[in-house]
Amino acid sequence: EEMRVAQAEGVAPDVRWHACRDGNRVFIDGATRPLIDPFGNTSGFLKVGRDSTERKHWDERQQVLLRELQHRTRNLMAVVLTIFDKTRRTSPDIHALAKSYTSRLGALARVQGLLSQLQEGDRIAFDALVRAELSAMGALDDAGNSERVELSGPSGVYLRSGTVQTFALALHELATNALKYGALAQEQEQGRLSLR
């Protein structure tokens, strides 16, 4: 078939996995062309190919990453829509809706920022998530410290990727409550937040 196409069209693509004599496989990106003698007859075929195995592996990896990105984007959009719907139901007016939704979306953006910094196979530590959220609320200074906030417990407890957004939103709600109604809403000397 390849020779027939080369004969009819002048060239035939030869793009395929090729089994080598040593048992390895390489991906060949090449073409087959007819060899024409001085009388215009085909005297044979010339097959030239380039080893594109590495490029093929990169292409396959990109497809996997693209599918993963699309999956995560769909999940993220579902979370965004759910947050909006729940915020809308409890908001008395458009200004309260805007303030609460922006705040919750900020928590989601922060966790996405943490996730985007990870290398393949890495996970976010629970204490890093807590510090990011409390810092965003102004409860911790730039160095991650506060006289009003006590954080204790082991560091480096890693979360599964699928649970990070849920934890981040839960921490956001708890921190918001502490800031509005709890320990962080009290005067400096009266209110303290302890997280173990």
Side-chain angles (χ1 to χ4, degrees), residues 124-141:
I124 293 176
F126 184 71
D127 57 307
L129 195 60
V130 168
R131 289 180 185 284
E133 192 56 39
L134 290 175
S135 295
M137 294 282 183
L140 299 178
D141 63 21

Side-chain angles (χ1 to χ4, degrees), residues 8-84:
E9 299 180 16
V11 63
D14 181 27
V15 180
R16 62 188 170 85
W17 284 100
H18 174 74
C20 300
R21 288 182 183 160
D22 63 4
N24 289 324
R25 289 174 11 120
V26 293
F27 191 78
I28 299 295
D29 185 358
T32 300
R33 298 178 187 277
L35 295 173
I36 309 298
D37 67 18
F39 304 105
N41 299 315
T42 300
S43 61
F45 292 89
L46 173 66
K47 188 179 267 198
V48 177
R50 174 177 44 246
D51 180 351
S52 299
T53 308
E54 189 173 331
R55 190 193 79 208
K56 178 69 171 169
H57 288 310
W58 275 107
D59 289 346
E60 289 171 350
R61 178 76 179 132
Q62 277 186 312
Q63 289 302 312
V64 169
L65 291 174
L66 181 60
R67 285 192 297 274
E68 178 66 21
L69 177 63
Q70 289 168 338
H71 173 73
R72 287 182 184 234
T73 301
R74 282 191 302 273
N75 287 347
L76 182 59
M77 294 312 292
V79 170
V80 169
L81 290 171
T82 301
I83 290 171
F84 179 78

